[in-house]
């Protein structure tokens, strides 16, 4: 990369304050190619990929006065796609530290599971043999939000709404990059032939990342990419169903001979399996 950040961000996720406490970032010093960055000459950061990782990074950087951030997303438009995802206490604490209003919007669509019983169940005898009690006790001890789930499209929508207008550019698929001489930045090539210049390029363009492939001189996909198929298949689905222990259990992992089966409350009366 052609620039670097020097930052002091206050408490880590493990020691984050209670949910209602406010956090304040300490001053951030930025330098690019040995020169100070200012509001008049901002650090230009381009993020390849507008998934959850890219959007959270963009949100964090957008709060810095000396940074101009742009997200290049290959999809022509964002659509509601994907199912519920679990967010652990440390991830929630990080989002809260980045932006409390964003955290508040997330909580409106969030379903907590970490404050209930979770763990491994014997699939043959349906007996609990490894409850994950630390999920609840650790969150309480360190005053962290409980682990839970949110629909991925909801999380993405919340993040998009929180970003300054024009931050995300759709229909822009990154194909590669070229580091400019004398540490003057990076030229980013898009698949449509367009080029974009920036001080920093961050690759958040998915499992078949063009940015990562070029950086490590490997293929984007396939056996030589570092992201080859593991040989395991996972099926997932949702049903509207209320089991007997609906209000007591967050999720259960039924362990069986060479197989396992997971059920989780994912909100609005739905169970994901």
């Amino acid at each position: 990369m052609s620039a670097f950040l020097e930052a002091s961000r206050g408490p880590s996720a493990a020691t984050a304050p209670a949910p209602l406490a406010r956090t304040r970032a300490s001053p951030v010093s930025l330098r690019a190619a040995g020169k100070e960055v200012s509001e008049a000459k901002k650090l230009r950061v381009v993020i390849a990929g507008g998934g959850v990782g890219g959007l959270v990074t963009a949100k964090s950087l957008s709060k810095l006065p000396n940074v101009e951030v742009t997200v290049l997303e290959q999809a022509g438009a964002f659509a509601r796609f994907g199912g519920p995802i679990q967010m652990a206490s440390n991830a929630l604490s990080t989002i809260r530290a980045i932006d409390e209003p964003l955290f508040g919007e997330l909580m409106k669509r969030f379903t907590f599971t970490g404050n209930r019983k979770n763990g491994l169940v014997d699939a043959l005898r349906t007996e609990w043999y490894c409850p994950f009690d630390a999920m609840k006790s650790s969150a309480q001890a360190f005053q962290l939000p409980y682990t839970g789930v949110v629909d991925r499209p909801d999380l993405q929508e919340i993040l998009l709404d929180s970003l300054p207008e024009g931050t995300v550019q759709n229909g822009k698929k990154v194909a590669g990059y070229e580091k400019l001489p004398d540490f003057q930045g990076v030229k980013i090539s898009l698949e449509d032939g367009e080029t974009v210049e920036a001080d920093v390029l961050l690759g958040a363009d998915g499992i078949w990342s063009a940015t990562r492939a070029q950086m490590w001189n490997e293929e984007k996909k396939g056996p030589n990419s570092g992201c080859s198929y593991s040989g395991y298949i996972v099926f997932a689905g949702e049903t509207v169903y209320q089991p007997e222990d609906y209000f007591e259990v967050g999720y259960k992992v039924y362990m069986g001979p060479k197989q396992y089966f997971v059920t989780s409350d994912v909100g609005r009366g739905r169970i994901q399996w």
Side-chain angles (χ1 to χ4, degrees):
M1 297 302 175
S2 301
F4 61 91
L5 309 181
E6 294 179 334
S8 176
R9 280 297 193 169
S12 67
T15 57
L20 297 181
R22 294 188 175 275
T23 59
R24 178 177 295 175
S26 55
V28 178
S29 171
L30 301 175
R31 292 188 295 160
K35 296 178 292 186
E36 290 297 324
V37 176
S38 65
E39 288 195 54
K41 186 174 178 56
K42 296 186 176 184
L43 184 74
R44 302 165 301 166
V45 178
V46 168
I47 300 173
V52 171
L55 293 178
V56 171
T57 305
K59 178 60 182 179
S60 181
L61 292 174
S62 72
K63 297 178 70 68
L64 302 177
N66 299 343
V67 175
E68 178 183 281
V69 60
T70 301
V71 178
L72 303 179
E73 164 57 37
Q74 65 175 326
F78 286 98
R80 292 190 64 83
F81 177 78
I85 58 173
Q86 178 174 274
M87 300 188 70
S89 297
N90 57 344
L92 294 173
S93 297
T94 299
I95 290 178
R96 183 179 61 193
I98 291 172
D99 191 85
E100 284 197 33
L102 172 64
F103 177 77
E105 290 300 315
L106 173 59
M107 289 298 97
K108 293 177 184 178
R109 310 196 199 185
F110 202 74
T111 298
F112 290 104
T113 56
N115 57 341
R116 291 181 267 172
K117 191 171 185 178
N118 302 279
L120 306 182
V121 178
D122 187 318
L124 299 180
R125 290 177 290 272
T126 64
E127 298 175 353
W128 290 85
Y129 66 85
C130 185
F132 298 158
D133 295 333
M135 290 179 63
K136 183 177 181 179
S137 60
S138 295
Q140 293 173 337
F142 292 100
Q143 296 183 302
L144 306 178
Y146 292 117
T147 292
V149 293
V150 65
D151 286 348
R152 183 184 295 271
D154 286 345
L155 176 58
Q156 192 172 43
E157 182 179 289
I158 293 166
L159 288 166
L160 287 168
D161 290 344
S162 74
L163 289 170
E165 186 175 354
T167 299
V168 180
Q169 298 183 14
N170 288 91
K172 307 287 186 180
K173 185 174 183 179
V174 172
Y177 65 89
E178 172 190 352
K179 289 190 286 186
L180 299 176
D182 301 321
F183 301 100
Q184 291 304 304
V186 57
K187 180 186 288 186
I188 303 155
S189 302
L190 307 183
E191 282 203 344
D192 62 4
E194 182 184 353
T195 60
V196 178
E197 290 193 8
D199 298 305
V200 179
L201 169 64
L202 301 178
D205 44 342
I207 191 170
W208 295 325
S209 166
T211 309
R212 186 201 67 243
Q214 181 175 340
M215 179 179 293
W216 297 106
N217 192 29
E218 62 184 17
E219 296 178 9
K220 286 193 292 185
K221 60 168 65 174
N224 298 319
S225 68
C227 295
S228 57
Y229 174 51
S230 67
Y232 289 88
I233 298 174
V234 176
F235 298 93
E238 296 174 19
T239 184
V240 177
Y241 171 64
Q242 185 171 312
E244 294 179 354
D245 55 8
Y246 181 76
F247 295 103
E248 289 79 37
V249 174
Y251 72 85
K252 293 184 286 190
V253 182
Y254 291 96
M255 304 300 294
K258 298 183 180 181
Q259 301 179 65
Y260 69 93
F261 185 85
V262 182
T263 68
S264 176
D265 177 16
V266 291
R268 303 202 300 273
R270 300 168 301 156
I271 295 291
Q272 186 186 48
W273 49 265

